[in-house]
Amino acid sequence: MLFNSVQYFLFFALVLLLFYNSRGTARKWILLVASYSFYAAWNWKFVPLLLTLTAIDYIAANYMNRVRPERKLLFLLMSVAANLGFLAFFKYYNFFASNVAALFGLPGTAFALGVILPLGISFHTLQSISYVVDVYRGDQEPIRSPLDYALFIAFFPQLVAGPIVRARTFFRDLYNWRPPSSEDRSAAVLLIALGLVKKMAFADHLAVVSDAYFNHLGSQAGVLTAWSASICFALQIYFDFSGYTDIAIGSAKLLGFHFPVNFNRPFLSASITELWRRWHISLSTWIRDYIYVPLASGRRGDRAIYRNLIITMTLAGLWHGASWNFVLWGAYNGVLLSVERMWRVRRRRKRAGAVVVDLHALQVVCTFLVFSMGAPFFRLASFTDAVHVLKAMFAGPPGTVLLNPWQIGLLLVSLGAAWAEERYNWFDRISKGPEWAYAAGLAAMLLCLSLFAVTDNYVPFIYFQF
Amino acid sequence: MGRPAVGVCGALVALFLVDAAVFRTGLYPAMLDPESTAGRVEMMRYVEMRRARSKAAQALAFGDSRMGFLPGVATAATVGRGVEFTSVAVPGTSPRSWYYQLRDLDPDARRYAAIILPVDDYDDEDRAEDPADSVVDMNYAIARLRLADLIDFTRSFPAWRERWVVLRGLIIKGTVYKDDLQGFLLAPDARRRKVRLFHDDSANWYRNFEADSRDVQGLSVDWSNWTLTPPPGATPAQEKVLRDVLLRRAVPQTGRLAEYRRQWFGRIIDRYRGGATRVFIFRLPRGPVPRPEWLVHRRSSSIREMAARPNVVLLDERCFEALERPSLFMDPLHMNRKGMDEFSRMLGEAVAGRSSHAF
């Protein structure tokens, strides 16, 4: 049941109807049953896995609070091991097996198993780990009610592809539930419409362009061709995932839950560091809090910082997918962050009294292009293919721009909208503004959907594969 | 929902109004790509509405790509019989879209003395696809569909998924025109020039249309062994098409084609009930090598049922059997130039022959 399908909206309408016509605990049960139904609609066979992980983390967190402090760690390790164990088996076993096979000169499939990746496992695993670690650190009270905890893990708007919601955020809303205000409802509807536009009118069109290039490598040579394909894919990931997140946040908002912003116009960033602060924020902050900060603790000095950045981003790359290309993509971003930090530190030392030239727009363009250079590693399964694209970006015939004029026009409109949002906060103004402005904004989005949405071609959400 | 509900309703109304202003007023339909599905139908309509009609009785033919009917040849072959033939046949169209085409071509059902409708067979043979579920019918008829057709047209699709697509398309026509619009945005000037060119010249092109002169001589099928001998020199792709069409397996007969024909041929016939117009139905030449009838046990003949209606003329089923030869077809479905000439002449004579007392 995809977020951009009619089935989802029928399902969601039914959930809203039942939710708002019930009270107290019944509401929680409705959401839990709806969430498990949503999950089962994809593959019911993985429902027991979700239940098992939920049970392990629930028990571990509750026992942590009852045992002596020195034994708390045991429960934490047990819970983390269970979560990472399942993730490792379902997501990384075949990757590991193929590398072992390669070491022994055997075919890549020698030890492979027909493992299906359970939907959303990468996301709910991180969510569970953050919960038990927070309980261990004393930052979060263990949740006594199994119903509440199960709902935290399985809550359907965020179950499949995030955002990765922290326990304190979710339970703040659950335990102090209030019906969404009129402004919240307005914003939620607008956010869902915006998400649909991002996914169906932008990401899916860009997918057609980038797929045509990446699925038939070698058929279109040229520097401009390779650059435009990589840029298209970078934009596709953004529109796809940010569109998904908008629908998730909007859906949750209509149910009275407030998820944090997950994308904050990352391609308007003037540096890679800023981009990663604005891109998949729930993952970036998770990585910061649960990998980078623990790694950094006790180790001082620039070298340690650079090393930790690279390690952290490499792990983030591996989290995205079980392939060396994802590892390289993560490492590439880690190196970029380190180099940028290094440069910033040096510049700060030299800068005293120097004349500062404002190159913001140029920096934004450069940041975007540097980020897009990593896109082939994200998109392609084979290292050789990714290197082939990378080479094509810098050597060879000029080639052609893959996007046609109206697609470029549409992207310029979206750039204008993002810039205007950055500057004037139009989304909030429309949500809270007069009804005619709200209706006009929504109508513009619906018109864009009706004229530009790709409806005859199934393009799955990219982050579903993670 | 309060405020958001008002906003959503306002947005939907605004969307509908903008969509209607562009797509329901003729503003955009006039710019349709003349070679797109809807564009072809609209171009045929444009040509037909601007055609200088003689005082002779007007006979209008419908059909899809198999309707190799050349109205000029038919009119020439029946000179002095008082009939002028014309055609709005468009490849890919079906009786459902013909009905909506006809409704706008002849709003008061008096413009034509004869409506000519082709069928593959008088008996009803269900194929793998249900014709009632063909959403492309909406794409052909979209410029002719009105809001008043919303329920009726949507209900004519049995599957809910198709109903949803059609309902959405009928309310917000932009969802149907979007591919065409995106093509237009790609090169607006080129589109304007193309439309102008088609407006100026397409009547001549249709009048002087010359079909392919290839044939499939040498093609034969051994039905008892289910083997096909392709014509000499046939490419693997051509051979595949021949096999796919001629050696297709029969599917279980459910009666859905009969139901579809009763509905849409029935509606066309009903438009002219009590009037002077006659609806001619005939069986198209089935192919270079007709499939034996024993291959499928056909359970009904909706077309023969219609012959009982006073304004329906059912031509002899075997009228065009003489044309079912490899020398007159360019592939398993379509007649070649010679076949089309011969067919047009024969159909003209058959209709004009019945018209002397029917018109």
Side-chain angles (χ1 to χ4, degrees), chain A residues 7-220:
Chain A
Q7 292 94 313
Y8 174 72
F9 286 100
L10 291 176
F11 160 83
F12 188 51
L14 181 68
V15 173
L16 284 176
L17 191 76
L18 294 172
F19 184 78
Y20 283 105
N21 282 296
S22 55
R23 288 171 176 279
T25 313
R27 282 187 164 164
K28 293 179 187 173
W29 277 108
I30 286 165
L31 289 184
L32 188 68
V33 170
S35 299
Y36 271 88
S37 309
F38 180 79
Y39 193 69
W42 168 71
N43 192 337
W44 62 268
K45 289 176 187 163
F46 287 109
V47 167
L49 171 74
L50 188 62
L51 278 169
T52 307
L53 279 172
T54 306
I56 290 172
D57 298 325
Y58 170 78
I59 292 166
N62 275 283
Y63 267 89
M64 246 186 257
N65 227 29
R66 292 183 202 168
V67 296
R68 288 189 309 251
E70 60 271 22
R71 294 196 68 187
K72 276 171 83 173
L73 184 63
L74 188 69
F75 284 98
L76 172 70
L77 290 177
M78 188 188 78
S79 162
V80 172
N83 280 292
L84 292 181
F86 278 113
L87 183 67
F89 175 72
F90 284 106
K91 189 164 178 174
Y92 300 104
Y93 172 79
N94 280 340
F95 173 57
F96 177 74
S98 67
N99 281 292
V100 170
L103 268 180
F104 291 102
L106 295 166
T109 52
F111 307 119
L113 294 175
V115 183
I116 301 172
L117 183 69
L119 198 65
I121 190 168
S122 307
F123 290 90
H124 65 70
T125 297
L126 296 195
Q127 195 155 309
S128 305
I129 291 175
S130 75
Y131 165 72
V132 286
V133 171
D134 285 354
V135 171
Y136 174 79
R137 287 172 174 170
D139 294 342
Q140 167 72 44
E141 278 295 306
I143 302 303
R144 303 283 173 216
S145 156
L147 169 65
D148 295 354
Y149 183 70
L151 184 57
F152 164 60
I153 295 300
F155 189 45
F156 69 88
Q158 41 103 89
L159 172 63
V160 175
I164 302 158
V165 180
R166 302 294 174 85
R168 74 182 77 91
T169 309
F170 182 82
F171 290 111
R172 176 199 65 204
D173 287 336
L174 186 71
Y175 293 148
N176 305 295
W177 190 86
R178 283 203 191 106
S181 65
S182 171
E183 281 177 6
D184 272 351
R185 292 197 305 265
S186 302
V189 171
L190 208 57
L191 207 52
I192 290 172
L194 182 64
L196 288 173
V197 170
K198 282 181 182 174
K199 166 66 181 159
M200 296 173 79
F202 286 89
D204 291 356
H205 269 296
L206 291 163
V208 174
V209 180
S210 69
D211 284 354
Y213 179 82
F214 288 112
N215 291 347
H216 307 96
L217 277 184
S219 62
Q220 293 165 291

Side-chain angles (χ1 to χ4, degrees), chain B residues 57-61 67 69 74 78 81 83-85 113-117 278-282 313 315 319-320 344-359:
Chain B
Q58 300 293 309
L60 175 72
M67 178 68 170
F69 181 63
T78 55
R81 311 271 281 273
V83 187
E84 184 177 23
F85 289 91
I115 302 296
I116 304 168
L117 306 173
R278 295 287 173 265
V279 178
F280 286 80
I281 302 178
F282 70 97
V313 180
L315 295 185
C319 196
F320 302 106
S344 305
R345 190 184 54 74
M346 288 170 73
L347 180 59
E349 281 175 357
V351 172
R354 298 292 292 266
S355 71
S356 55
H357 57 273
F359 285 165

Side-chain angles (χ1 to χ4, degrees), chain B residues 79-336:
Chain B
V79 167
R81 311 271 281 273
V83 187
E84 184 177 23
F85 289 91
T86 183
S87 168
V88 287
V90 174
T93 52
S94 65
R96 178 160 44 194
S97 52
W98 302 343
Y99 169 75
Y100 293 100
Q101 266 179 281
L102 182 61
R103 187 180 67 177
D104 278 9
L105 277 170
D106 192 8
D108 42 13
R110 287 205 305 241
R111 186 181 171 97
Y112 299 102
I115 302 296
I116 304 168
L117 306 173
V119 292
D120 291 338
D121 202 330
Y122 284 177
D123 298 319
D124 305 312
E125 180 192 341
D126 288 313
R127 304 282 177 88
E129 298 83 27
D130 184 353
D133 267 340
S134 172
V135 175
V136 78
D137 285 0
M138 174 180 63
N139 294 47
Y140 283 108
I142 186 68
R144 304 293 113 214
L145 288 164
R146 307 163 191 162
L147 268 182
D149 298 321
L150 193 71
I151 296 171
D152 189 38
F153 190 74
T154 306
R155 281 186 58 204
S156 72
F157 292 80
W160 281 100
R161 190 184 149 78
E162 274 70 26
R163 282 183 177 179
W164 160 245
V165 174
V166 167
L167 184 75
R168 191 182 62 191
L170 255 59
I171 297 172
I172 307 294
K173 285 195 172 189
T175 60
V176 183
Y177 285 121
K178 67 180 177 187
D179 288 345
D180 195 276
L181 178 77
Q182 288 167 19
F184 173 73
L185 292 176
L186 210 54
D189 286 338
R191 170 70 67 83
R192 277 189 214 104
R193 283 196 300 273
K194 187 176 180 181
V195 169
R196 207 173 304 130
L197 184 72
F198 269 74
H199 278 169
D200 293 344
D201 295 344
S202 54
N204 279 334
W205 299 338
Y206 297 140
R207 205 167 25 244
N208 303 318
F209 176 74
E210 286 198 3
D212 205 314
S213 56
R214 281 175 303 163
D215 60 39
V216 285
Q217 286 199 74
L219 168 71
S220 64
V221 181
D222 178 352
W223 296 108
S224 51
N225 292 315
W226 206 249
T227 53
L228 178 145
T229 308
T235 63
Q238 288 167 332
E239 199 178 320
K240 183 180 181 306
V241 173
L242 287 166
R243 284 183 196 286
D244 288 351
V245 173
L246 295 174
L247 299 185
R248 68 171 188 276
R249 294 284 175 186
V251 299
Q253 298 298 296
T254 58
R256 62 192 183 195
L257 178 67
E259 200 179 316
Y260 176 82
R261 283 170 151 185
R262 282 185 196 112
Q263 182 176 11
W264 295 105
F265 282 106
R267 282 191 179 196
I268 293 174
I269 294 165
D270 284 347
R271 269 192 74 74
Y272 294 98
R273 187 171 48 192
T277 307
R278 295 287 173 265
V279 178
F280 286 80
I281 302 178
F282 70 97
R283 186 175 77 179
L284 279 164
R286 288 166 294 178
V289 183
R291 283 159 57 89
E293 302 209 343
W294 51 261
L295 285 177
V296 184
H297 172 64
R298 298 168 178 84
R299 301 194 311 185
S300 60
S301 173
S302 52
I303 299 297
R304 287 195 183 85
E305 289 165 18
M306 288 168 204
R309 303 205 196 179
N311 59 333
V312 175
V313 180
L314 207 59
L315 295 185
D316 180 5
E317 193 173 5
R318 297 170 174 273
C319 196
F320 302 106
E321 257 183 16
L323 302 177
E324 294 170 346
R325 285 181 282 141
S327 59
L328 299 178
F329 275 78
M330 60 176 174
D331 61 30
L333 292 170
H334 304 97
M335 284 174 277
N336 60 18

